[in-house]
Amino acid sequence: MIEPIGNSMIKLPYLLFLGNAPDQLSAKVAQGISDWRPENCIGQFTLDGCQADVGLPDISLQRGRELGAKTLVIGVANRGGVIDPIWKETLVAALRLGYDIANGLHKLLRDDEDLVAVAQQYGCLLHDVRLPNRNYPIANGEGRRGKRVLGVGTDCSIGKMYTALALEKSLRKRGAKATFRATGQTGILITGAGVPLDAVIADFMAGAIEWLTPENDEDHWDVVEGQGSLFHISYSGITLALLHGAQPDALVLCHEPTRQNMRGLTDRTLPSLETLRDAVLPLARISNPSCEVIGVSVDTHRLSEAEADSYLGQIEQNMGLPAVDPVRNGADRLAATLV
Amino acid sequence: MIEPIGNSMIKLPYLLFLGNAPDQLSAKVAQGISDWRPENCIGQFTLDGCQADVGLPDISLQRGRELGAKTLVIGVANRGGVIDPIWKETLVAALRLGYDIANGLHKLLRDDEDLVAVAQQYGCLLHDVRLPNRNYPIANGEGRRGKRVLGVGTDCSIGKMYTALALEKSLRKRGAKATFRATGQTGILITGAGVPLDAVIADFMAGAIEWLTPENDEDHWDVVEGQGSLFHISYSGITLALLHGAQPDALVLCHEPTRQNMRGLTDRTLPSLETLRDAVLPLARISNPSCEVIGVSVDTHRLSEAEADSYLGQIEQNMGLPAVDPVRNGADRLAATLV
């Protein structure tokens, strides 16, 4: 499989830092990495009182280095996205052992003078994956070999990253060439590369996605992580830039059937899947006239299994498309439409 | 008329600096300011050999200050958008006289150490209007009083700024309350305020436009400068963020009938006006369900007068909308639909 030149960002493998996580949910970034890229992980490192466990061996910083870990990933979030003072001793010790550190929190490592000084002294890198780490070109819109599939949602935070990772897994299981392309900070930490699209300068959004999804083997699928929603007016511009930069051949519609309002917009309800399909397809065909909607991915975790089955069956009947919950069902039926 | 708090950026009035402009076209920024905001201009200042004249009194830097000028605007462009070394003496002299300087070129004043030092010494501001000069919020999508009209194009660089300025003029002529809202550097220099949308961080694009077009009198029109095109894949995300941030009540479709390709994209042709209308209206109605397309603005400068009349007549017949070339005809017929 061709990996695009320069698309690697963070050195692998990782040691995952869970800190003093008060519960499992606060370590969900580490959990995501451990779930989707166990081969990238040497182990987990916790502080006293940590209540999270992502199922990896507990090892020390020193032992991690001996086993080849190159980057300590802050895999835990806390209120406000700040760097907990209790973590600082660990981060400094890690730099002294030669680890790079990767961070997806709002608070930036580069804004901590102590960490910057130690990193410089030991020649280590501080990765703040919420910010771009390079300049991107303006999109040229040219076609390129290889196939691309993108998730588009009726709202933000509706399972687009999970869908893409599940689809990559299903494609690979079938022996197809597939690469998840991260466009947000969690995805970047999971894979060690990607574009933090929401932090890119407007003029370069589509160009950043062209860079992220370059020419590839004719039968290779880039599985591109979706962002925002065409119907979420705070972020719709990001979604359209992603759609036009990725030039997808295939789209997966993502939905959560019980959500009452667009995320953060109390007055606005979600569009139907049919409305999303009818809006997105003509826009997608501006950049790729042969683009098709190939399936639907639904987050059914608020439904019973019977309700979920019934809901998915109804979508299949109404829209004539395979509909899955990738958590309950996996994404094999979506992958089957691509291969 | 209510002017939004904090929406002023550059101190008025201006002295326009034409430098050593080799021809009239290279002073088109100064011409635009002089054409659309003569009341903002004290005069023009030229160097030896200047071949441009924007029709304002020629006055010296010193005299300009005596007459009240507060900002020297670089109203001339040269190849590569750099600051000509020949201009430097003038810029330094202006700062010493207490002028702020405003610049829309790619090359930034703030990157010139000499200018920064003199500006600091004399307490003057250096405005690089290609970059945002503040942080913008994330869009909240809430409705707000007042009316908004936005130009949307079949391509980039297709007369959207000119259309908006002509429409503001026609509205004011009728006694209506109207404010041009600049979203690009030339518009910002013309009015002294605005958002350089193409340089805003992705997450804040729509929020920047909400900030630019705030609540206003019920019968006030913000005439918002369009950017990019939904059909231009390099910039379409910017266009959609603008559409959803502005929540326009009215749209004007902008077109140039002889253009063969999307600007900078040799393989891609322009959509028809009907295709643009059908694409933009459902997207606009996500943020403002009562949005309507109210007219068409065509750049007919490559057509004869007879051809232009015939073309505009045909559009009116086909689309049932007033169609004007604002350069040939003004925008009164568009304004009439709004009042």
Side-chain angles (χ1 to χ4, degrees):
Chain A
M1 193 169 343
I2 302 173
E3 283 294 331
I5 295 159
N7 199 4
S8 169
M9 201 166 151
I10 306 172
K11 284 193 225 107
L12 303 174
Y14 296 153
L15 179 62
L16 303 184
F17 179 52
L18 308 192
N20 51 346
D23 52 36
Q24 192 66 20
L25 189 63
S26 60
K28 71 176 180 178
V29 169
Q31 189 69 61
I33 301 171
S34 170
D35 285 349
W36 294 106
R37 289 291 188 270
E39 70 275 20
N40 288 355
C41 303
I42 296 290
Q44 62 186 19
F45 177 72
T46 60
L47 298 180
D48 282 352
C50 180
Q51 300 296 315
D53 183 334
V54 301
L56 295 168
D58 283 293
I59 55 179
S60 68
L61 291 176
Q62 178 71 48
R63 183 72 186 132
R65 284 294 282 160
E66 289 163 12
L67 292 170
K70 296 206 167 52
T71 302
L72 184 75
V73 177
I74 300 178
V76 53
N78 57 14
R79 198 185 294 257
V82 300
I83 294 161
D84 195 312
I86 292 171
W87 305 345
K88 186 108 162 233
E89 195 179 328
T90 298
L91 301 181
V92 169
L95 291 169
R96 289 192 166 136
L97 286 166
Y99 283 95
D100 294 343
I101 302 178
N103 166 47
L105 300 172
H106 271 291
K107 175 76 180 171
L108 304 180
L109 297 173
R110 69 190 66 179
D111 290 340
D112 185 306
E113 289 176 18
D114 301 333
L115 293 179
V116 169
V118 180
Q120 277 176 339
Q121 190 183 343
Y122 290 85
C124 305
L125 297 175
L126 301 176
H127 296 287
D128 292 305
V129 303
R130 281 190 181 261
L131 298 186
N133 64 342
R134 58 166 57 232
N135 294 320
Y136 302 108
I138 285 177
N140 62 32
E142 287 172 18
R144 46 204 191 276
R145 285 191 318 137
K147 299 285 189 183
R148 284 151 205 97
V149 54
L150 173 68
V152 291
T154 53
D155 192 5
C156 301
S157 306
I158 205 152
K160 294 186 294 294
M161 184 186 79
Y162 195 98
T163 299
L165 286 161
L167 186 52
E168 181 204 50
K169 186 175 181 178
S170 291
L171 283 166
R172 290 185 172 181
K173 200 170 65 182
R174 297 178 69 101
K177 301 173 188 170
T179 309
F180 172 78
R181 299 297 187 192
T183 60
Q185 66 268 6
T186 303
I188 293 170
L189 288 174
I190 288 174
T191 61
V195 168
L197 187 58
D198 62 7
V200 171
I201 300 283
D203 247 356
F204 306 102
M205 294 184 296
I209 300 305
E210 288 188 348
W211 172 86
L212 182 69
T213 61
E215 186 152 86
N216 212 314
D217 297 342
E218 199 62 69
D219 59 346
H220 174 275
W221 282 93
D222 271 339
V223 186
V224 187
E225 181 189 359
Q227 289 294 333
S229 166
L230 291 173
F231 289 81
H232 194 297
I233 69 175
S234 308
Y235 309 113
S236 54
I238 298 174
T239 309
L240 186 57
L242 178 50
L243 188 68
H244 283 171
Q247 298 189 20
D249 303 276
L251 296 170
V252 176
L253 308 182
C254 301
H255 189 50
E256 204 280 73
T258 70
R259 196 175 292 181
Q260 297 298 311
N261 300 105
M262 300 294 285
R263 193 174 164 87
L265 306 177
T266 47
D267 288 346
R268 295 175 189 271
T269 54
L270 278 65
S272 70
L273 282 163
E274 288 84 353
T275 301
L276 174 62
R277 175 196 62 200
D278 295 344
V280 71
L281 210 47
L283 292 169
R285 287 178 176 167
I286 293 171
S287 66
N288 185 343
S290 62
C291 183
E292 296 289 351
V293 173
I294 60 93
V296 179
S297 173
V298 183
D299 174 358
T300 66
H301 81 279
R302 289 182 192 276
L303 304 182
S304 70
E305 195 164 335
E307 286 170 334
D309 287 347
S310 157
Y311 183 81
L312 293 169
Q314 209 177 340
I315 292 174
E316 299 215 351
Q317 196 166 6
N318 293 346
M319 302 186 74
L321 294 167
V324 303
D325 180 332
V327 177
R328 292 184 193 256
N329 317 121
D332 290 355
R333 293 182 58 231
L334 301 179
T337 69
L338 298 179
V339 181
Chain B
M1 195 170 339
I2 302 173
E3 284 293 331
I5 295 158
N7 199 5
S8 169
M9 199 167 151
I10 306 172
K11 282 191 226 113
L12 302 173
Y14 296 152
L15 178 63
L16 302 184
F17 179 53
L18 308 192
N20 51 346
D23 51 34
Q24 193 65 21
L25 190 62
S26 60
K28 72 175 181 179
V29 168
Q31 189 69 62
I33 301 171
S34 169
D35 285 350
W36 294 107
R37 289 289 188 275
E39 70 275 21
N40 289 356
C41 304
I42 296 289
Q44 62 185 20
F45 177 73
T46 61
L47 299 178
D48 283 352
C50 180
Q51 300 296 314
D53 183 334
V54 301
L56 294 168
D58 283 295
I59 55 179
S60 68
L61 291 177
Q62 178 69 49
R63 182 74 185 129
R65 283 294 283 160
E66 289 162 11
L67 292 170
K70 297 206 166 54
T71 302
L72 184 75
V73 177
I74 300 178
V76 54
N78 57 14
R79 198 185 295 255
V82 300
I83 294 161
D84 195 312
I86 293 171
W87 305 345
K88 185 105 163 237
E89 196 180 325
T90 299
L91 301 182
V92 169
L95 292 170
R96 289 190 167 139
L97 286 166
Y99 282 95
D100 294 343
I101 302 178
N103 166 48
L105 300 172
H106 271 292
K107 176 77 181 167
L108 304 180
L109 298 172
R110 69 190 65 178
D111 290 340
D112 185 305
E113 288 176 19
D114 301 333
L115 293 179
V116 169
V118 180
Q120 277 177 340
Q121 190 183 344
Y122 289 85
C124 304
L125 297 175
L126 301 175
H127 297 287
D128 292 304
V129 302
R130 280 190 182 261
L131 298 187
N133 66 342
R134 59 164 58 233
N135 294 320
Y136 301 108
I138 286 178
N140 62 32
E142 287 173 17
R144 44 206 192 276
R145 284 192 319 138
K147 299 285 190 183
R148 284 150 205 98
V149 54
L150 173 69
V152 292
T154 53
D155 193 4
C156 300
S157 305
I158 205 152
K160 293 186 294 291
M161 185 186 78
Y162 194 100
T163 300
L165 285 160
L167 186 52
E168 180 204 48
K169 187 175 180 178
S170 291
L171 283 166
R172 289 184 174 183
K173 203 170 64 183
R174 297 179 69 103
K177 301 173 189 170
T179 309
F180 171 77
R181 299 297 186 193
T183 60
Q185 67 268 8
T186 303
I188 293 170
L189 288 174
I190 288 173
T191 59
V195 167
L197 187 58
D198 61 9
V200 172
I201 300 283
D203 247 356
F204 306 103
M205 296 184 296
I209 300 304
E210 289 188 348
W211 172 85
L212 181 70
T213 61
E215 186 153 85
N216 212 314
D217 296 342
E218 200 61 70
D219 59 347
H220 173 276
W221 282 93
D222 271 338
V223 187
V224 186
E225 181 189 0
Q227 289 295 332
S229 166
L230 291 174
F231 288 81
H232 194 298
I233 69 174
S234 307
Y235 309 114
S236 54
I238 298 174
T239 308
L240 186 57
L242 178 50
L243 188 68
H244 283 171
Q247 299 189 17
D249 303 277
L251 296 170
V252 176
L253 308 181
C254 301
H255 190 50
E256 205 281 71
T258 71
R259 196 175 292 180
Q260 297 299 309
N261 301 310
M262 300 294 286
R263 192 173 166 88
L265 305 177
T266 48
D267 289 346
R268 294 174 189 270
T269 55
L270 278 65
S272 70
L273 283 162
E274 288 84 354
T275 302
L276 173 62
R277 174 197 62 201
D278 295 345
V280 71
L281 210 46
L283 292 170
R285 287 178 176 167
I286 293 170
S287 65
N288 185 342
S290 62
C291 183
E292 296 288 351
V293 173
I294 60 94
V296 180
S297 173
V298 183
D299 174 357
T300 65
H301 82 279
R302 291 180 191 278
L303 304 181
S304 71
E305 194 163 335
E307 287 171 333
D309 287 348
S310 157
Y311 183 81
L312 293 169
Q314 211 177 337
I315 291 173
E316 300 214 350
Q317 198 166 4
N318 293 346
M319 302 187 73
L321 293 168
V324 302
D325 180 334
V327 177
R328 292 185 194 255
N329 317 121
D332 290 356
R333 293 181 57 233
L334 301 179
T337 68
L338 299 179
V339 181

